[in-house]
Amino acid sequence: MSTTFDRPVPRPGVLDIEAYVPGKSAAAPGVKVYKLSSNETPLGASPAAIAAFGSLRDKLELYPDGASTKLREAIGTRYGLDPARIVCGSGSDELLSLITSAYIGSGDEGIFTTHGFLVYKIAIMAAGGVPVVAEEKNLITDIDAILAKVTPRTKIVYLANPNNPTGTYIPFDEVKRLHAALPKHVVLVLDAAYAEYVRRNDYASGIELVATSENVVMTRTFSKIYGLAMLRLGWCYGPVGVIDALNRIRGPFNVNGPALEAGIAALNDEEHLAKALAHNDKWLPWLTAELEKLGIGVTPSVGNFLLLHFPKVPGKTAKDADAFLSSHGLVLRAVGAYGLPDCLRLTIGPDEANLKVVATLGAFMSGNTARA
Ligand SMILES: *Cc1c(COP(=O)(O)O)cnc(C)c1O
């Protein structure tokens, strides 16, 4: 029996997906806007990357190198990796989707944590799979909870380390413990979008685990500390089998030429990277301490953003804070879609924005909420 419809109908499950809603960028009219909602770097891209991007303006008729050869070589040199085991993508979002569609089919399960990155759930459902949520412990990934969710249908475990939007991380020993206990056919995706920001001796992005196993893939991005979010550029390092699968299903020219050139230049500009890191090292602890003094709960973060917890008191809620901040041009990220309705996520911004956030939230928390 076949049913006919009077218009195309997506595959079962597609219309159950809640589309990703990016951080907003607008605030009240007439005020200077600071976008602190998408974990973008306040330092901008490396000047060398901007120049490399511009150098292609007269060559837009040409197809880019579909194999991202020079960029993979540059990444290989920078991190000591075999370029043949790297795939570049249009943002790491594309790579997460490719990995998912290569390993998850109808009814297969993908596991992520309660406040894991929303893209995992979308990718799983788009592939016809079943999203499975493992509880966190105090907003931190709980390896045992993940392992308890593994079934014969599990195909992928997604681990953002550090995680967004919580900013928390787990030590590399824990990642290794998870890997050791997973069945060998399950892909472990280590999403290390914020790896460059982490200053902890017990942290590792996962390169060592990829190198020594056949089921671990690490994804990285140029969108965060490198400041190339608009160009959409990411890469992954994985075992030969996974890399082969991704190269078969990716678009033949999935990374654009300006992104490739800018990415190489950004990788080579170590001075710019150091500046971005120093800026974060200065403001992350300062903002954490100052906001806590105001009575706002702050989850300890190792990334370039903070998860702020507001009281459930009328007039003082996250929603109230969001409205007040917006009226002062400060755009934070509401994280209700992540199951955190009492929180806002704050990206570390430029100096003046960080100072203004503390001053504005100071006024908000003390009840002095008249329009400045
Ligand atoms: C920002 C982010 C990414 C990066 O996405 P791109 O597509 O590379 O811009 C990946 N994972 C997490 C957890 C992120 O926060």
Side-chain angles (χ1 to χ4, degrees):
M1 189 190 79
S2 75
T3 317
T4 53
F5 297 93
D6 58 4
R7 61 199 162 104
V9 174
R11 282 191 287 113
V14 171
L15 299 182
D16 297 330
I17 296 173
E18 278 178 56
Y20 185 89
V21 181
K24 51 184 173 132
S25 30
V31 289
K32 179 165 182 192
V33 175
Y34 295 100
K35 187 182 176 208
L36 308 171
S37 57
S38 298
N39 297 347
E40 296 147 342
T41 173
L43 276 79
S46 145
I50 296 169
F53 169 78
S55 73
L56 291 178
R57 56 185 299 150
D58 297 327
K59 298 193 178 138
L60 299 186
E61 76 282 11
L62 300 178
Y63 276 98
D65 168 21
S68 304
T69 310
K70 284 193 199 143
L71 177 60
R72 285 188 299 107
E73 283 167 2
I75 294 166
T77 303
R78 176 81 165 67
Y79 292 96
L81 309 177
D82 176 3
R85 291 177 55 181
I86 294 169
V87 179
C88 298
S90 178
S92 47
D93 283 354
E94 185 196 21
L95 296 165
L96 293 167
S97 291
L98 289 172
I99 296 165
T100 305
S101 53
Y103 291 93
I104 285 189
S106 182
D108 291 332
E109 295 169 358
I111 304 175
F112 51 89
T113 66
T114 321
H115 306 109
F117 191 39
L118 283 174
V119 167
Y120 310 148
K121 184 177 179 187
I122 294 172
I124 294 166
M125 292 178 74
V130 180
V132 176
V133 176
E135 291 297 318
E136 293 164 2
K137 222 185 231 163
N138 297 324
L139 299 175
I140 299 172
T141 296
D142 177 355
I143 297 306
D144 298 302
I146 292 176
L147 289 171
K149 295 285 182 180
V150 174
T151 75
R153 301 232 61 169
T154 304
K155 293 290 159 60
I156 303 182
V157 171
Y158 303 81
L159 189 71
N161 200 29
N163 186 46
N164 167 22
T166 54
T168 59
Y169 82 107
I170 56 170
F172 194 46
D173 277 351
E174 283 283 279
V175 180
K176 285 195 276 200
R177 187 165 75 80
L178 169 64
H179 175 251
L182 277 181
K184 299 271 177 278
H185 66 273
V186 173
V187 180
L188 174 59
V189 175
L190 301 178
D191 177 349
Y194 301 93
E196 295 86 355
Y197 283 111
V198 184
R199 299 286 211 177
R200 291 289 188 281
N201 290 331
D202 59 358
Y203 174 81
S205 61
I207 286 175
E208 173 198 325
L209 208 49
V210 179
T212 56
S213 71
E214 289 195 73
N215 64 331
V216 184
V217 189
M218 172 189 68
T219 60
R220 301 287 287 259
T221 184
F222 282 91
S223 300
K224 303 290 156 57
I225 203 164
Y226 287 107
L228 298 177
M230 188 176 275
L231 289 182
R232 312 305 303 127
L233 184 62
W235 57 279
C236 70
Y237 172 55
V240 173
V242 174
I243 295 301
D244 176 57
L246 299 184
N247 276 325
R248 287 169 196 266
I249 63 172
R250 69 176 173 84
F253 304 99
N254 62 326
V255 183
N256 71 78
L260 292 172
E261 291 300 323
I264 294 167
L267 263 189
N268 290 330
D269 190 347
E270 295 193 17
E271 196 186 319
H272 190 74
L273 185 74
K275 265 191 219 160
L277 195 51
H279 180 85
N280 208 63
D281 287 346
K282 172 182 171 189
W283 288 105
L284 186 75
W286 186 83
L287 280 163
T288 304
E290 294 299 314
L291 294 171
E292 278 178 339
K293 277 187 215 161
L294 299 177
I296 296 166
V298 184
T299 300
S301 170
V302 296
N304 69 330
F305 57 91
L306 292 169
L307 187 67
L308 312 183
H309 302 253
F310 289 86
K312 288 193 180 99
V313 182
K316 291 277 176 285
T317 65
K319 210 168 179 241
D320 298 322
D322 197 17
F324 187 65
L325 288 160
S326 288
S327 74
H328 288 80
L330 297 163
V331 182
L332 277 67
R333 179 75 140 99
V335 281
Y338 281 95
L340 296 163
D342 300 324
C343 298
L344 295 176
R345 192 191 65 197
L346 166 70
T347 303
I348 308 302
D351 296 7
E352 68 273 17
N354 299 334
L355 295 168
K356 192 169 174 182
V357 164
V358 170
T360 307
L361 282 175
F364 174 76
M365 292 302 284
S366 66
N368 182 14
T369 50
R371 251 320 288 279

